[in-house]
């Protein structure tokens, strides 16, 4: 983990235009090391924005996707997301019926 940046600040990349989201990451450069990508961006961009952020030097990633489905489906989705190496992602839970 990169210790030269303050990772308490997470910048949201929930932008309608993927080019502008990528430009923001490039503009902020080394000053920011932690980004959040929400479900809307994932639906629009697929994994391309995730890969762009992960390929920037030492960028940490929070996937705010709020996964919610039957357990086996969430488990498969979680395994797929884990391959993208986020620091964490959200799962929405509920008590068993």
């Amino acid at each position: 983990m990169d210790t030269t940046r303050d990772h308490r600040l997470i910048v949201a990349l929930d932008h309608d235009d993927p080019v502008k989201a990528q430009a923001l990451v490039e503009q902020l450069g080394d000053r920011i090391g932690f980004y959040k990508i929400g479900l809307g961006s994932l639906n629009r961009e697929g994994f391309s924005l995730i890969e762009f952020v992960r390929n920037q030097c030492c960028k940490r990633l929070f996937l705010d996707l709020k996964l919610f489905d039957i357990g086996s489906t969430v488990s498969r989705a979680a395994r797929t997301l884990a391959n993208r190496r986020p620091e964490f992602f959200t799962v929405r839970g509920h008590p068993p019926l």
Side-chain angles (χ1 to χ4, degrees):
M1 181 171 100
D2 177 16
T3 57
T4 62
R5 297 182 192 122
D6 184 348
H7 289 282
R8 294 176 292 180
L9 177 64
I10 300 174
V11 174
L13 294 178
D14 298 334
H15 204 290
D16 290 336
D17 183 343
V19 173
K20 289 183 180 178
Q22 290 180 2
L24 178 61
V25 174
E26 291 172 340
Q27 179 184 6
L28 293 173
D30 290 337
R31 293 175 292 214
I32 300 295
F34 213 140
Y35 291 91
K36 177 190 86 83
I37 296 175
L39 185 58
S41 294
L42 184 68
N43 284 338
R44 279 188 302 279
E45 307 311 314
F47 291 113
S48 63
L49 184 57
I50 291 172
E51 292 305 313
F52 177 81
V53 171
R54 291 303 291 157
N55 289 330
Q56 298 297 311
C57 179
C58 304
K59 302 296 185 195
R60 298 175 74 195
L61 186 60
F62 162 33
L63 299 177
D64 189 16
L65 306 179
K66 299 172 188 77
L67 300 177
F68 184 73
D69 208 319
I70 62 173
S72 61
T73 299
V74 170
S75 179
R76 283 191 305 273
R79 281 192 297 276
T80 298
L81 292 172
N83 290 333
R84 304 294 174 168
R85 303 177 334 269
E87 301 304 314
F88 53 93
F89 54 86
T90 53
V91 175
R92 182 175 165 221
H94 64 85
L97 301 175

